[in-house]
Amino acid sequence: MSIPDLASLHALGPAQQPTYPDQGAVDAAVARLRTAPPLVFAGECDDLKAKIAAVTRGEAFLLQGGDCAETFAGVTADNVRNKLRVLLQMAVVLTYAASVPVVKVGRIAGQYAKPRSSDLETRDGVTLPAYRGDAVNGFDFTEAARIPDPQRLVDVYNSSAATLNLVRAFVTGGYADLRQVHTWNTDFVRESPVGQRYEEMASEIERALTFMKAIGADPDEFHRVDFHSSHEALVLEYEHAMTRVDSRTDTPYDVSGHFVWIGERTRQLDNAHVELLSHIKNPIGVKLGPTTTPDDALALAAKLNPHNEPGRLTFITRFGAGKIREGLPHLVEKVNAAGVEVAWVCDPMHGNTFEASSGYKTRRFDDVIEEVQGFFDVHRALGTWPGGVHVELTGDDVTECVGGGEELLEADLGGRYESVCDPRLNRVQSLELAFLVAEMLRKA
């Protein structure tokens, strides 16, 4: 299968792309990336596709989570471990409490570019280009920082390589061992009610593991986990340069991540992002917002998964708590009636963002839960499988989303607001979400 060249993709007028001032520098960065080793391997992508096929069949649940936007400064052992830890905790809650296999995918090792609603940002009468993620420009509000720099794409590659190296070391080096379930609950989480609930569950797991060992059962699955990377495939230069033809199958894969998705702002059927991803063999996702019609969804499925392969395509819905029950049924009904093989996943974050009186972007924890509940209710009513959740979260004690068991208020947002883009659930809120979703899964 041939891969369209960059010039033909840009001729389609793609949305949300940086305007680089120096084409020679762009060409040099792309040339450097084309010679860089793959960050992931085609076989790993195939393994994930098989796991998502199980989600599509209603036999597993997808947990996808991580930063809204990764930063180069955030590539530290502590930061990566903290994100991995909260995802491991959430996965073990879902697996144990709901008795369902959980496919673990991080928004990690590539989530450096962000679409923006405006090309410009104005502060105190000064207007500059918007921050589009560390892949494109700098967060500092200065003219120099906001100029798009293609060398940053090489920095994305290097930062992603370092992150994946750490993740692989953690998941194979003993940190992801199920016997660590108590260790994952250290520091501030242990003092919270949800942390205490986790401790009770961890004790039950520990007793079960002790029993298994006593009867001579100690499977490899107890000591490691399969963990995959994902990001939005946004900057065409980066994704195109990282698309390679696999020597085993002679077909192209985007080796920048195991799973890549097309955003709500770039899912135009006749545009560059859909065109590029239609040629790769990775499992892929598409974000669908409240303006999506059933015909839109069917056309995307026909373009992106013409052979109707289970595990290839995931629809990630992001309607907002107030619109999910009204908007989602029409999509699911028509797609299901057409026999389309797709995993349905709920993004309860992006449709629920608002600006607090203090000026911080935030989300209400109750709105996040309400959207997930609406997602489950719709699927239960239609007899279809609520396949997963896609959340923006961090392993740290940040104050970015209001509500939850800690009862964070809008006045608390300034305490530790660290996101460079959208607000994330903190670790306690993430764990609380996992317990609530596990309850919903039990009923599903």
Side-chain angles (χ1 to χ4, degrees):
M1 186 188 293
S2 62
I3 307 165
D5 61 39
L6 260 178
S8 64
L9 291 173
H10 279 291
L12 296 172
Q16 299 287 335
Q17 298 305 288
T19 304
Y20 292 113
D22 182 353
Q23 187 57 44
V26 176
D27 295 342
V30 169
R32 171 68 190 92
L33 288 169
R34 290 203 194 285
T35 63
L39 290 171
V40 302
F41 296 104
E44 296 172 338
C45 299
D46 292 342
D47 289 345
L48 177 59
K49 191 188 295 182
K51 290 182 173 67
I52 298 176
V55 174
T56 304
R57 294 190 299 268
E59 299 167 1
F61 190 78
L62 180 75
L63 173 64
Q64 187 172 11
D67 273 320
C68 160
E70 293 178 279
T71 62
F72 299 149
V75 184
T76 66
D78 285 349
N79 199 356
V80 172
R81 184 196 64 235
N82 290 351
K83 279 187 279 192
L84 181 63
R85 177 175 59 184
V86 71
L87 286 164
L88 291 173
Q89 283 189 284
M90 292 175 75
V92 82
V93 166
L94 290 166
T95 305
Y96 189 77
S99 298
V100 63
V102 174
V103 181
K104 294 164 278 293
V105 180
R107 278 177 66 111
I108 198 168
Q111 186 56 21
Y112 289 95
K114 290 293 293 181
R116 304 312 300 261
S117 53
S118 173
D119 289 335
L120 301 171
E121 180 183 356
T122 300
R123 296 188 200 174
D124 301 324
V126 177
T127 299
L128 294 174
Y131 171 65
R132 290 187 169 275
D134 277 13
V136 177
N137 55 5
F139 183 68
D140 291 343
F141 194 71
T142 65
E143 191 171 356
R146 293 298 174 91
I147 296 171
D149 178 4
Q151 174 58 35
R152 286 176 168 269
L153 299 177
V154 179
D155 296 338
V156 167
Y157 173 87
N158 291 330
S159 297
S160 298
T163 300
L164 281 171
N165 187 48
L166 281 165
V167 168
R168 286 181 169 126
F170 281 126
V171 299
T172 60
Y175 188 75
D177 193 308
L178 258 182
R179 290 169 297 190
Q180 297 284 325
V181 282
H182 285 294
T183 311
W184 299 337
N185 202 35
T186 51
D187 58 60
F188 61 92
V189 178
R190 183 164 283 173
E191 307 307 316
S192 70
V194 72
Q196 290 157 18
R197 185 179 177 189
Y198 176 88
E199 275 297 301
E200 292 169 9
M201 188 197 70
S203 295
E204 291 178 24
I205 292 172
E206 191 172 56
R207 283 195 296 274
L209 290 173
T210 302
F211 170 75
M212 296 285 282
K213 189 174 182 183
I215 62 171
D218 191 28
D220 192 40
E221 286 78 8
F222 287 177
H223 305 296
R224 59 165 183 81
V225 299
D226 291 331
F227 190 86
H228 296 90
S229 66
S230 72
H231 63 270
E232 179 176 356
L234 186 60
V235 181
L236 290 174
E237 277 76 10
Y238 183 74
E239 305 304 334
H240 193 274
M242 294 303 295
T243 298
R244 313 285 170 76
V245 174
D246 173 39
S247 57
R248 307 168 310 149
T249 60
D250 206 31
T251 54
Y253 287 77
D254 183 343
V255 293
S256 67
H258 297 110
F259 177 101
V260 288
W261 74 84
I262 301 166
E264 164 77 353
R265 294 185 176 97
T266 52
R267 61 172 172 79
Q268 303 87 357
L269 191 66
D270 58 353
N271 219 316
H273 293 85
V274 171
E275 180 63 29
L276 177 60
L277 266 61
S278 73
H279 290 268
I280 64 172
K281 289 296 184 180
N282 305 56
I284 60 172
V286 186
K287 292 282 190 85
L288 302 179
T291 62
T292 312
T293 67
D295 287 343
D296 291 338
L298 288 173
L300 284 163
K303 172 79 172 177
L304 292 168
N305 191 18
H307 303 298
N308 206 23
E309 178 188 4
R312 157 69 175 172
L313 183 61
T314 299
F315 281 153
I316 307 164
T317 61
R318 39 155 295 177
F319 280 77
K323 297 179 179 177
I324 182 84
R325 286 180 169 84
E326 179 186 353
L328 184 60
H330 310 297
L331 281 187
V332 177
E333 277 180 309
K334 193 153 186 179
V335 169
N336 195 46
V340 171
E341 297 280 1
V342 66
W344 292 97
V345 169
C346 178
D347 168 0
M349 309 296 290
H350 285 90
N352 297 307
T353 308
F354 69 98
E355 187 172 306
S357 55
S358 55
Y360 286 104
K361 285 169 73 175
T362 190
R363 291 157 175 153
R364 294 185 185 91
F365 185 77
D366 286 351
D367 290 341
V368 171
I369 297 304
E370 175 61 21
E371 179 154 3
V372 179
Q373 185 66 65
F375 175 79
F376 272 81
D377 289 348
V378 167
H379 283 284
R380 186 183 300 115
L382 295 175
T384 49
W385 178 244
V389 290
H390 178 122
V391 287
E392 292 185 340
L393 56 82
T394 175
D396 298 318
D397 190 18
V398 299
T399 54
E400 296 173 3
C401 292
V402 295
E406 299 171 297
E407 299 181 347
L408 286 177
L409 304 173
E410 288 191 25
D412 299 320
L413 293 174
R416 193 174 167 189
Y417 196 104
E418 298 177 2
S419 174
V420 294
C421 196
D422 290 342
R424 305 160 296 174
L425 299 178
N426 63 29
R427 189 159 150 231
V428 173
Q429 291 167 331
S430 300
L431 204 49
E432 190 174 353
L433 171 73
F435 276 110
L436 292 167
V437 171
E439 297 281 347
M440 297 177 204
L441 261 176
R442 269 205 289 258
K443 294 171 186 172

